[in-house]
Amino acid sequence: MKRLIMLIVVIFIAYGSKPVWEEKVEATGLDSMLSKIQEMKDNPKVQNAFDQFYNELNLLLVKLDESIGEMKDGEDKQDRGTIDKPSLSAPENQEFSIHNIELGDSRGSVEKELGAPVRKTLNEYGSYWHTYHEDYQNFFMVSYDSEQHVNGLYTNQDLLTSSTGIEIDSPKETVQGRLGDPLTSIRKGLTVYQLQNNGEHDVFQVDDSYVTFFYDKHEQDSVTAVQIIDRSLEQKKQGFYTEPNPELKEGFEFQLFDLTNAARVNHGLLPLTWDNGVKKTARKHSLDMADNNYFSHTNREGKSPFDRMEEDDVAFRTAGENLAYGQMSSIFAHEGLMNSKGHRDNILQSHYEYLGVGVAFNGESQPYYTENFFSR
């Protein structure tokens, strides 16, 4: 390509300086040489060879132009595929804000700025997560109380701002150093609930809310997500697990799907497509585990995830399965899966294209989560 460009430059220079060099040639008495060159130019064989060269050069120029156009189109597509991060400001009334939204903000102000949510799903608090994203970039969820004020927020992307300076990717030591010791229990009336803590998350009481920081142990225990729940919303939730119903089951399924895609986009991967066929496979396995009190990729008949998918006529080239059990919500289930090497590898597998999620509850309202990934 460089040689071609140099050749074109030389031709243009030679043509542009023709009067000069013609004059020089005449001054040196080389008219006879020019005559011979003219005779050669008029020779049909020479003319044919020149025409062939010209056609080939013209073809190369056309291809060069097309290549430059394709490169420009690619750059334009890349630009269109990157959503600018919103301009974030420090919270005004609360310690923390997500996407410039704080607890207590009105639903009207949120929707005036952002429009309608992409999805609305029931959560474990009996309220709804209103999910916002742009192809899973700038991903966050908002919950509202009965008076349509924000009472819950969540994000696993770089949308957190705080007057303390804590951000997504802040080290665990920074969080604990600025907020003190995390809670070990929460009192609700006469009942004290002990918080489960395996070092992968911390809960703090900040202002009049409970703030949970999730840590990524594969990224030096840095903050990977945050959930902010108004104290009144948390106090209304009785029991560790929520009484299940079909709407909550579906809510957990779509929430886990969205969380998975947001995590993939965080790591530079394409989001997965929801597949109803494999969702049925995942649901049946979750229900079988919940009803029969076991937790395994191999069911009681000895069938693997791949056997079950084939049995349900799910055509796949490659496939994988993630299981989780006992987490109070899809958020906790997803963050736990991301801290487990094998499950994390499935979530961040570049060649997977489709995902179906199935949730079921046992007699104690404990949820079982099954994620089935595959590519065709």
Side-chain angles (χ1 to χ4, degrees):
M1 186 64 70
K2 289 182 179 179
R3 291 179 179 177
L4 174 60
I5 294 172
M6 287 297 295
L7 175 61
I8 295 169
V9 171
V10 169
I11 292 171
F12 283 164
I13 292 173
Y15 183 82
S17 60
K18 180 179 177 182
V20 177
W21 57 259
E22 278 186 340
E23 187 177 11
K24 294 290 185 181
V25 169
E26 290 174 359
T28 56
L30 297 178
D31 290 339
S32 59
M33 182 179 293
L34 290 174
S35 298
K36 290 182 180 180
I37 291 174
Q38 183 64 39
E39 290 175 4
M40 291 177 63
K41 180 177 178 296
D42 294 336
N43 188 302
K45 292 183 179 180
V46 174
Q47 186 66 46
N48 290 339
F50 180 81
D51 290 342
Q52 184 177 356
F53 168 76
Y54 175 83
N55 291 335
E56 290 177 356
L57 179 60
N58 189 57
L59 180 60
L60 285 172
L61 288 172
V62 170
K63 289 183 177 179
L64 176 62
D65 185 64
E66 290 175 347
S67 298
I68 292 172
E70 289 173 0
M71 289 172 64
K72 186 177 185 301
D73 288 343
E75 290 173 356
D76 290 342
K77 288 177 182 178
Q78 186 175 10
D79 291 340
R80 289 194 296 270
T82 302
I83 308 298
D84 290 336
K85 176 185 171 182
S87 177
L88 302 178
S89 58
E92 298 178 358
N93 304 309
Q94 300 286 325
E95 191 80 20
F96 296 96
S97 66
I98 291 175
H99 204 285
N100 295 326
I101 301 169
E102 302 176 37
L103 296 184
D105 286 352
S106 70
R107 180 173 180 173
S109 66
V110 174
E111 294 189 346
K112 181 180 178 181
E113 181 69 24
L114 300 170
V118 177
R119 199 191 306 277
K120 175 183 172 183
T121 52
L122 187 66
N123 62 31
E124 70 275 17
Y125 291 100
S127 62
Y128 289 87
W129 282 127
H130 297 73
T131 303
Y132 288 88
H133 61 83
E134 301 156 86
D135 293 329
Y136 289 100
Q137 298 184 62
N138 297 330
F139 176 90
F140 67 101
M141 300 192 294
V142 186
S143 169
Y144 301 102
D145 62 20
S146 59
E147 297 180 353
Q148 302 304 302
H149 290 99
V150 175
N151 64 358
L153 290 162
Y154 168 89
T155 189
N156 61 358
Q157 296 188 352
D158 189 16
L159 301 173
L160 174 69
T161 54
S162 168
S163 57
T164 64
I166 297 172
E167 301 174 332
I168 298 294
D169 291 334
S170 290
K172 179 193 289 189
E173 292 78 9
T174 298
V175 176
Q176 294 177 344
R178 295 179 184 178
L179 297 180
D181 294 331
L183 298 177
T184 58
S185 63
I186 294 178
R187 177 182 292 276
K188 299 182 181 182
L190 299 177
T191 304
V192 175
Y193 293 89
Q194 296 297 322
L195 298 177
Q196 296 178 341
N197 196 339
N198 55 7
E200 297 180 2
H201 64 270
D202 284 330
V203 182
F204 300 89
Q205 188 164 355
V206 181
D207 298 325
D208 201 26
S209 65
Y210 295 101
V211 183
T212 304
F213 289 96
F214 298 91
Y215 306 114
D216 190 336
K217 69 181 185 182
H218 298 282
E219 298 290 342
Q220 293 78 51
D221 279 336
S222 59
V223 174
T224 189
V226 62
Q227 176 180 265
I228 306 171
I229 299 295
D230 186 85
R231 184 176 181 276
S232 62
L233 180 61
E234 183 64 52
Q235 290 293 320
K236 288 178 183 177
K237 181 176 178 287
Q238 297 301 311
F240 187 79
Y241 297 108
T242 302
E243 187 70 24
N245 60 63
E247 190 179 7
L248 181 63
K249 174 175 66 175
E250 186 176 77
F252 278 1
E253 290 171 347
F254 280 116
Q255 289 157 25
L256 191 51
F257 172 77
D258 288 337
L259 292 164
T260 298
N261 274 339
R264 286 176 63 86
V265 168
N266 278 348
H267 289 81
L269 301 172
L270 293 173
L272 302 171
T273 300
W274 177 265
D275 186 87
N276 274 319
V278 84
K279 176 203 72 174
K280 295 176 183 177
T281 305
R283 269 190 178 182
K284 286 192 292 185
H285 188 56
S286 288
L287 183 61
D288 189 38
M289 291 189 293
D291 285 348
N292 295 286
N293 193 31
Y294 76 95
F295 185 67
S296 174
H297 291 287
T298 303
N299 68 13
R300 294 171 302 131
E301 298 175 356
K303 293 181 179 178
S304 70
F306 317 111
D307 297 327
R308 296 192 296 273
M309 290 170 68
E310 289 178 349
E311 192 175 65
D312 290 339
D313 297 322
V314 177
F316 62 90
R317 179 170 51 86
T318 59
E321 179 175 88
N322 281 352
L323 301 179
Y325 155 68
Q327 294 85 355
M328 71 177 78
S329 72
S330 287
I331 289 175
F332 281 85
H334 169 73
E335 300 300 339
L337 291 169
M338 284 295 290
N339 273 324
S340 170
K341 180 66 168 59
H343 299 104
R344 182 189 185 93
D345 288 346
N346 273 338
I347 291 170
L348 302 181
Q349 181 61 256
S350 61
H351 62 248
Y352 286 149
E353 301 169 313
Y354 302 93
L355 171 62
V357 181
V359 172
F361 301 85
N362 65 12
E364 298 177 348
S365 301
Q366 297 171 323
Y368 286 74
Y369 308 85
T370 301
E371 293 182 306
N372 285 142
F373 305 82
F374 71 98
S375 63
R376 289 196 173 101

